[in-house]
């Protein structure tokens, strides 16, 4: 089936979209101002959206600010990504219960919650696909991720602005959404251009109060999308990046970065593709009832590489190196793609403003002799 | 399963709680365990816990929890005796693991401190320093926090009852912040936050209440304190604020102490 | 949509199965070999393992540990696992008795390339507890003894009483397997080799290096020097295989812990071809 | 010739912190009664100097893990007075709510785990639980409510992190507050039951003519504000506290003791004093209960203070419910203020009684001088006086029993010995004059 039949949705029509998703029993997750940031949260109505707000981002800082218009999606990306919901930070995966001398082992496979994501950007769709590759397309399928992912509805938004931390154009993941969504919106001054990208989306679109688009609307949409492209100033050349890093595992820069890096793991937590986790054993006092809980972990955690009484990556240098080289280099070996989608979150949310694109540039500039 | 619980004919393990210079908050965390407290009471013999019980038994004890720091000559000796009587000795809380808030005296003039507070310092017999228990005796495990997290405390006791080596995260508070969906106050508001160099355990409490972490749980393993202070100084935080930030309940913990001292020395030379 | 098409792999990789300890034998101090049998026969029927793979043994309340399969008794359908008491999980396991139950997930990972090694000289090299996964290769090779031109086992331990599987040696020799042992520290009774394992490799006679295959498991430094010796013996880097170890948490390539350069030890390994990881073995803290 | 006899309680138990009691007798004559607090000094007043005012509530909380809110409240109010900050009525309500949490937690802890075992012949609350499982369970549940309220408002129950000069760091979530209502409705009834239970205990006859001191406020039961009232003398404003009351040091204790300046006399602070002086401002349910139990005021039997504690728990539940139902909205969470040099004092009612703080701050908002007078140091002299009068009645018993009886008396004060070491500099000249 061919989609892409574009239509015009009035700004208030967004409320109909939210209601339609709720009627289909989705929990709608969309942008909301919380703790002075625009984050993905449960949305009950249009009122919850950050209408007229934008974000200002640089390495290590993020501020929200009023816009001089009433745009609903006039901001870039926040600290949370879809992974917060599809691969949640804490997740019960299995239980063990003692029954006399025997043990009952169960794994959790059912999840009722269905999510509809509103406001998803192109880089976020790309990131979700990177996680699909990890959790769905190897020898083992994560049943909980699969359930959530399959039942999710994606309402994408084409970016009309970019932050100084964005570099999706380098990573070829945005700013325009090309596929992987059920519905996509482009926000114009007075309305949205809306199009379906799947049957699910098409069905919802059919019942929305839309009107035909004019060429002028499409031209405005194109211009706004172009505006986002033009605002992107950061770059990271992906060509040969894998080799450039793997051939420089002993570069002096790693040591220098280690003096700044706090090994706090923020970059890995906010990164929409980072997937590392640990299963913890939660035991009651009797020892008879056990929950095996998976929680987000990070290669920056010193105990992450614990092995037989010692730590393999026992300094910040090797931990930072592991992160960067995994993300940008060995990810290709493992999953045939880059682990970075260029969303810039790790740059903004690093409490000491370390910018991976700068690190890469320095390493490339003066390759190590060895 | 080798758990103590299962070996019916063995006597219940003896639990002791000892207090040195402290506020009682960490012991209280045990009383605050409410439902678990009753189960703990069933699983162990509470042999010495003055705050909770008049029933006092002599050692040796299977598990001893020590709260508080060493601040008097008498306590310096008492801890030796406690160690001798204890099979497993676990220190609980910042006082016991790093000297606590009272370790601020380590930077002051002890005599002058005494005079500032007491009209008759000659009645007192105290040391000039407040030090961690591990500075005096061998400690089997340290549970961080000011106060300790009561879940961790119960988990620790359970671990020891089941002959498990306790294992708690040594990573930064930041992980807990992000896991619980708290937005970073350092990045969004420029609030100085010790979270990136402070060990997890509180659940990312302070940032969740819109304030910076003040380091209750002490430094992370390999804490890069100078990395953080460098950034804060570059972003206009004066040393006069940064030094006290590092000198709170874990002022005596090595990474905080050293960086605090370094900054204070720089500050002094700048003033000259 | 990829998400839809991949739902078919239905069994949760997190499902743990109960196994019962049928026998436990103390090998050397602190090391026990268990015979484990699935409690549920359907699980037993579905289970199949190849040499070099590993299981996650689960002690409820303590956690999981990756343990190599050191043998599979086809007749009794019993798994052999040799475990060294290292930490919480293995210590708790060591407190169990015959008849007690624990949990198991597996098997996981890529085992030894037993097929590819056929037709040539098979050199199996073990250091310390590395003997555990090597043992499963020995069993498999003896089972099809005729397919290998020659089989040599080179094993080392700290001292003679640390050598694993001593009661098997005669049986192996009877199957025309060459067995060379070495210890770091000899005792008065010991009249074998003294020194590190790579020395045994140096002394080994390999008639046709082009068809010989080397499989090694042991501490990383030991493997490093063993490989050097093997290369000096003109064995191609493509015919040298190492069984690696890293922190193992999920065993299914989802948790990220066991990465070693480009490899996930749990799914690309634990057995990895030397040339694919050679450049990474040199790097400290990877 | 009568033999000299000495009775020692080496370590007081079921009290917060560590202390001991020494009694020296010559025949029936009491030579000395010494409540010895060997809790090592921690010099809080000295270490607060040079810290910014915002650090103060976090640091003073660590004086006592049992009543950190009291320390935070007194220090915050004193600093706000020094900086001339006026907080909103909503802030005031939420602070009272926070205090209710601490009263519930601390009082219920004392009633069930520390004090009740004395009346039931048990050595600990857990032992008591074997004969009174439902009562213990109910107590633990009530205590948990207190902790939950502290956690919602303050982040955690021991050393909460949300209170600051000018208000709160984060406005408490209305939703989370209102979720507590059903529990608190249950708790109000349960607290009434618990109070009826303790009121049925057998109390030793021991009436004393105390001077009772507590805050007093025309419109509310005292917590955070009011004048300092006495049953014997006219009320004074808080800023006159140091003129009327003072601390001095005794050789047998690391803690300072307090007394009336002019009369050199002891006085009583705490729940019994509060109920006696403010009975008509107790909440409706608490007042009804006091009547039902024929709790006569003034009550001058310290052993009956456990009933006063129960009444205050009922009050705290009822007051908390009212605030929870209103769930005040706090915008902004915290008001902004400027630093200037100044001095301010405040007194609030810690669970154990009046807690006085005074601060001098400089123009950069740094603390120059501090004075902290905790409730236990104020009660300490009164405890010794009580013991002197109580002893003759129990002297014919064996030493162990006498010691046990004395310990019971001390315990009815709910002394918090960890607090009682942080005592203040006293004016030596005044003492000698
Ligand atoms: C592929 C493979 C095969 C193996 N085969 C064998 C074998 O055949 N026989 C054998 O005896 N051993 C084998 N091992 C080693 C074995 O897995 C470890 O020795 C074992 O996990 C120890 O478990 P433990 O709980 O007793 O020890 P611990 O050292 O306590 O560790 C248990 C697990 O808990 C985690 N852990 C423990 N402490 C920390 C910490 N501080 N921070 C973070 N995580 C921590 C780690 O994931 C660790 O794997 C193998 C390992 C691998 C990777
Ligand atoms: S590495 Fe950084 S820029 Fe790349 S996807 Fe992750 S958070 Fe975004
Ligand atoms: S660590 Fe903190 S809570 Fe514990 S006793 Fe010390 S000051 Fe109190
Ligand atoms: S608020 Fe503090 S603890 Fe939380 S992520 Fe930011 S820096 Fe880390």
């Amino acid at each position: 089936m061919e989609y892409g039949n574009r239509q015009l949705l009035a700004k208030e029509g967004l409320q109909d979209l939210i209601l339609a998703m709720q009627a289909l029993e989705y929990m709608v997750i969309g942008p909301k101002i919380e703790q002075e940031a625009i984050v993905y949260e449960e949305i009950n109505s249009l009122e919850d959206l950050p209408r007229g707000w934008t974000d200002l981002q640089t390495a290590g800082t993020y501020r929200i600010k009023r816009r001089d218009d009433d745009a609903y999606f006039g901001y870039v990306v926040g600290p949370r990504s879809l992974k917060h919901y599809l691969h949640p930070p804490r997740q019960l995966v299995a239980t063990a219960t003692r029954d006399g001398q025997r043990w009952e082992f169960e794994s959790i496979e059912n999840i009722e919650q269905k999510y509809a994501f509103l406001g998803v950007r192109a880089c976020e769709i790309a990131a979700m696909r990177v996680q699909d590759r990890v959790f769905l397309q190897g020898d083992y399928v994560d049943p909980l991720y699969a359930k959530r992912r399959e039942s999710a509805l994606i309402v994408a938004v084409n970016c009309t602005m970019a932050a100084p931390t964005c570099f999706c154009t380098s990573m070829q993941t945005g700013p325009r959404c090309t596929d992987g969504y059920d519905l996509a919106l482009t926000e114009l001054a007075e309305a949205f251009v809306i199009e379906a990208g799947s049957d699910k989306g098409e069905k919802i679109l059919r019942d929305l109060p839309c009107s035909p688009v004019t060429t002028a609307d499409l031209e405005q949409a194109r211009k706004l999308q172009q505006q986002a492209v033009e605002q992107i100033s950061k770059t990271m050349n992906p060509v040969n990046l894998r080799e450039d890093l793997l051939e420089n595992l002993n570069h002096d820069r790693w040591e220098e970065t280690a003096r700044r890096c706090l090994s706090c793991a923020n970059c890995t937590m906010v990164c929409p593709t980072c997937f590392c986790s640990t299963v913890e054993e939660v035991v009651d006092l009797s020892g008879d009832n056990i929950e095996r809980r998976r929680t987000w972990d990070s290669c920056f955690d010193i105990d992450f590489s614990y092995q037989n009484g010692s730590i393999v990556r026992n300094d910040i240098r090797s931990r930072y190196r592991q992160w960067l080289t995994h993300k940008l280099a060995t990810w290709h070996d493992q999953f045939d793609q880059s682990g970075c989608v260029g969303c810039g979150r790790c740059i903004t949310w690093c409490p000491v403003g370390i910018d991976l694109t700068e690190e890469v540039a320095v390493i490339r500039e003066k390759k190590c002799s060895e | 399963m080798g758990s103590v619980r299962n070996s019916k004919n063995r006597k219940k393990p003896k639990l002791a709680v000892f207090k040195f210079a402290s506020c009682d908050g960490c012991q209280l965390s045990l009383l605050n365990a409410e439902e678990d407290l009753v189960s703990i009471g069933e699983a162990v013999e509470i042999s010495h816990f003055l705050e909770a019980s008049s029933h006092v038994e002599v050692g040796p004890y299977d598990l001893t929890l020590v709260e508080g720091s060493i601040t008097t000559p008498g306590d310096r000796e008492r801890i030796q005796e406690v160690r001798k009587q204890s099979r497993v000795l676990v220190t609980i809380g910042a006082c016991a693991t790093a000297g606590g808030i009272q370790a601020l005296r380590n930077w002051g003039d002890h005599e002058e401190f005494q005079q500032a507070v007491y009209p008759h310092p000659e009645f007192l017999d105290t040391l000039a320093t407040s030090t961690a228990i591990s500075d005096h005796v061998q400690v089997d495990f340290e549970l961080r926090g000011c106060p300790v997290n009561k879940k961790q405390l119960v988990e620790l006791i359970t671990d020891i009852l089941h002959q498990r080596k306790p294992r708690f995260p040594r990573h930064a508070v930041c992980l807990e912040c992000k896991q619980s969906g708290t937005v970073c106050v350092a990045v969004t508001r420029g609030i100085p936050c010790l979270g990136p160099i402070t060990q997890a355990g509180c659940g990312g409490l302070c940032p969740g209440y819109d304030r910076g972490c003040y380091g209750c749980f002490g430094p992370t393993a390999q804490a890069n304190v100078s990395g953080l202070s460098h950034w804060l100084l570059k972003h206009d935080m004066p040393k006069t604020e940064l030094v006290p930030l590092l000198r709170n309940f874990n002022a005596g913990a090595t990474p905080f102490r050293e960086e605090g001292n370094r900054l204070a020395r720089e500050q002094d030379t700048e003033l000259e | 949509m990829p998400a839809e098409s991949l739902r078919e792999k239905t069994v949760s990789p997190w499902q743990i199965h109960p196994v019962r300890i049928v026998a436990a034998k103390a090998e050397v101090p602190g090391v026990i070999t268990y015979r484990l049998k699935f409690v549920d026969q359907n699980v037993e029927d579905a289970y199949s393992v190849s040499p070099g793979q590993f299981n996650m043994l689960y002690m409820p309340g303590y956690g999981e540990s990756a343990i190599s399969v050191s043998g599979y008794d086809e007749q009794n359908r019993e798994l052999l696992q040799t475990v060294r008491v290292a930490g919480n999980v293995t210590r708790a396991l060591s407190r169990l008795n015959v008849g007690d139950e624990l949990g198991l997930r597996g098997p996981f990972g890529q085992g030894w390339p037993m097929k590819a090694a056929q037709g040539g000289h098979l050199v199996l090299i073990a250091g310390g507890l590395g003997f555990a996964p090597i043992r499963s290769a020995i069993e498999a090779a003896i089972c099809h003894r005729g397919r290998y031109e020659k089989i040599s086992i080179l094993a080392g331990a700290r001292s003679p009483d640390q050598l694993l599987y001593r009661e098997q040696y005669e049986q192996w020799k009877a199957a025309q397997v060459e067995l060379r042992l070495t210890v770091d520290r000899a005792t008065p009774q010991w009249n074998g080799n003294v020194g590190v394992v790579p020395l045994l490799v140096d002394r080994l006679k390999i008639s046709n290096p082009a068809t010989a295959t080397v499989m090694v498991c042991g501490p990383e430094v030991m493997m490093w020097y063993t490989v050097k010796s093997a290369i000096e013996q003109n064995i191609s880097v493509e015919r040298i295989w190492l069984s690696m170890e890293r922190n193992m948490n999920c065993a299914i390539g989802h948790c990220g812990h066991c990465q070693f350069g480009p490899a996930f030890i749990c799914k690309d390994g634990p057995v990895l071809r030397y040339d694919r990881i050679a450049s990474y073995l040199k790097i400290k803290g990877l | 010739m009568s033999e000299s006899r000495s009775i020692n309680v080496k370590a007081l138990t079921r009290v917060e912190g560590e202390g001991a009691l020494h009694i020296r007798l010559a025949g029936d004559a009491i030579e000395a009664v010494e409540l010895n607090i060997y809790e090592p000094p921690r010099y809080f007043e000295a270490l607060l100097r040079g810290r910014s005012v915002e650090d103060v509530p976090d640091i003073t909380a660590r004086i006592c893990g049992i009543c950190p809110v009291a320390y935070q409240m007194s220090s915050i109010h004193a600093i706000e007075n020094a900086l001339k900050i006026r907080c909103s009525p909503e802030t005031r309500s939420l602070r009272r709510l926070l205090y209710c949490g601490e009263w519930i937690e601390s009082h219920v802890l004392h009633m069930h785990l520390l004090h009740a075992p004395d009346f039931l012949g048990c050595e600990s609350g857990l032992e008591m639980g074997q004969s009174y499982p439902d009562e213990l369970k109910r107590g633990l549940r009530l205590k948990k409510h207190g902790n939950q309220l502290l956690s919602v408002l303050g982040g955690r129950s021991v050393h909460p992190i949300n209170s600051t000069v000018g208000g709160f760091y984060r406005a408490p979530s209305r939703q989370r507050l209102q979720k507590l209502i059903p529990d608190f409705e249950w708790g109000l009834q349960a607290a009434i039951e618990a109070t009826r239970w303790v009121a049925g205990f057998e109390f030793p006859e021991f009436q004393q003519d105390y001077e009772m001191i507590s805050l007093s406020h025309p419109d509310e039961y005292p917590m955070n504000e009011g004048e300092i009232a006495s049953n014997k003398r006219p009320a004074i404003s808080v800023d006159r506290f140091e003129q009327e009351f003072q601390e001095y040091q005794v050789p047998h204790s690391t803690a300072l003791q307090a007394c009336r300046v002019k009369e050199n006399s002891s006085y009583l602070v705490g729940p019994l004093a509060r109920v006696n002086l403010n009975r008509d401002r107790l909440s409706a349910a608490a007042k009804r209960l006091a009547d039902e139990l024929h709790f006569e005021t003034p009550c001058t039997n310290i052993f009956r203070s456990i009933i006063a504690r129960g009444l205050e728990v009922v009050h705290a539940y009822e007051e908390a419910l009212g605030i929870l139902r209103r769930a005040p909205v706090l915008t902004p969470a915290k008001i902004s203020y400027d630093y200037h040099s100044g001095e301010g004092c405040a007194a609030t009612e810690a669970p154990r009684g009046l807690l006085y703080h005074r601060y001098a701050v400089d123009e950069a908002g740094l603390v120059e001088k501090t004075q902290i007078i905790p409730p236990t140091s104020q009660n300490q002299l009164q405890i010794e006086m009580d013991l002197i009068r109580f002893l003759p009645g129990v002297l014919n018993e064996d030493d162990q029993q006498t010691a046990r009886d004395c310990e019971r008396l001390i315990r009815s004060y709910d002394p918090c010995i960890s607090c009682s070491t942080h005592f203040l500099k006293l004016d030596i000249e005044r003492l000698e004059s």
Side-chain angles (χ1 to χ4, degrees), chain A residues 87 93-96 101-103 105-109 129 132 134-144 146-147 149-150 180 182 200 242 246 249-250 275-281 283 287 290 292 294 297 303-308 312-315 317-319 321-322 325-326 330 333-335 370, chain C residues 1-20 39-40 58-64 84 86-87 100-105 107-110 220 245-264 267-268 279-280 282-286:
Chain A
H87 172 46
V93 294
T95 59
Q101 282 302 82
R102 314 206 39 188
W103 283 98
F105 300 122
E106 257 181 80
S107 56
I108 312 301
E109 282 164 56
R129 292 188 144 169
D132 286 353
V134 176
F135 291 124
L136 304 176
Q137 294 160 19
D139 287 342
Y140 298 94
V141 172
D142 182 286
L144 301 168
K147 276 259 159 59
R149 175 70 175 89
E150 213 173 278
D182 298 295
K200 273 200 266 187
R242 177 186 175 278
L246 293 183
L249 294 173
N250 284 323
F275 57 83
C276 289
S277 64
T278 287
V279 172
E280 292 169 354
E281 197 80 357
V283 197
I290 291 143
R292 294 180 47 73
R294 180 172 65 189
D297 202 343
D303 287 324
F304 191 74
S305 64
Y306 169 91
Q307 180 201 318
N308 270 340
V312 175
R313 293 189 276 280
N314 203 12
D315 52 17
R317 170 184 179 270
S318 45
R319 293 199 284 278
R321 183 181 63 190
Q322 166 63 22
T325 55
H326 182 220
T330 53
D333 300 84
Q334 299 167 349
F335 305 109
E370 206 198 333
Chain C
M1 289 283 298
E4 248 122 348
S5 56
L6 273 146
R7 257 208 18 94
E8 307 321 322
K9 302 172 185 169
T10 41
V11 182
S12 167
W14 295 110
Q15 183 61 47
I16 294 170
H17 303 292
V19 289
R20 184 178 305 118
V39 171
D40 180 343
Y58 176 54
M59 287 300 299
Y62 297 82
E64 292 184 320
R84 183 175 62 93
D100 286 347
E101 285 179 15
L102 64 147
L104 181 149
R105 283 194 300 138
F108 297 109
Q110 309 300 321
E220 257 170 62
E245 188 180 335
R246 277 293 179 272
N247 182 311
M248 200 63 66
N249 196 282
C250 73
I252 54 174
H254 291 180
C255 81
H257 280 78
C258 69
Q259 289 178 76
F260 175 64
F264 277 95
K267 57 175 194 187
D268 304 321
S279 61
Y280 302 103
K282 284 186 287 198
I283 310 281
K284 204 180 144 265
L286 212 65

Side-chain angles (χ1 to χ4, degrees), chain C residues 80-113:
Chain C
L80 267 74
Q81 311 241 240
T82 301
V83 183
R84 183 175 62 93
V85 176
N88 280 340
V89 176
T90 49
R91 180 160 304 114
L93 177 56
S94 73
R95 290 194 294 262
L96 293 192
N97 299 315
V98 170
D100 286 347
E101 285 179 15
L102 64 147
L104 181 149
R105 283 194 300 138
F108 297 109
Q110 309 300 321
W112 303 111

Side-chain angles (χ1 to χ4, degrees), chain D residues 166-185:
Chain D
F168 288 85
Y169 282 100
R170 181 176 223 188
S173 139
R174 294 190 82 199
Q175 229 183 352
R176 286 187 62 201
L177 283 178
Q178 292 191 320
K179 259 209 203 124
L180 297 172
I181 291 174
D183 272 348
F184 271 67
E185 281 168 346

Side-chain angles (χ1 to χ4, degrees), chain B residues 179-210:
Chain B
Q179 287 170 351
S180 40
T182 297
V183 177
C184 179
V185 299
V187 170
T188 55
R189 309 175 215 204
I191 295 175
C193 179
L194 294 187
I197 52 166
T198 297
Q199 182 170 299
C202 63
L205 195 61
C206 288
Y209 280 78
D210 295 344

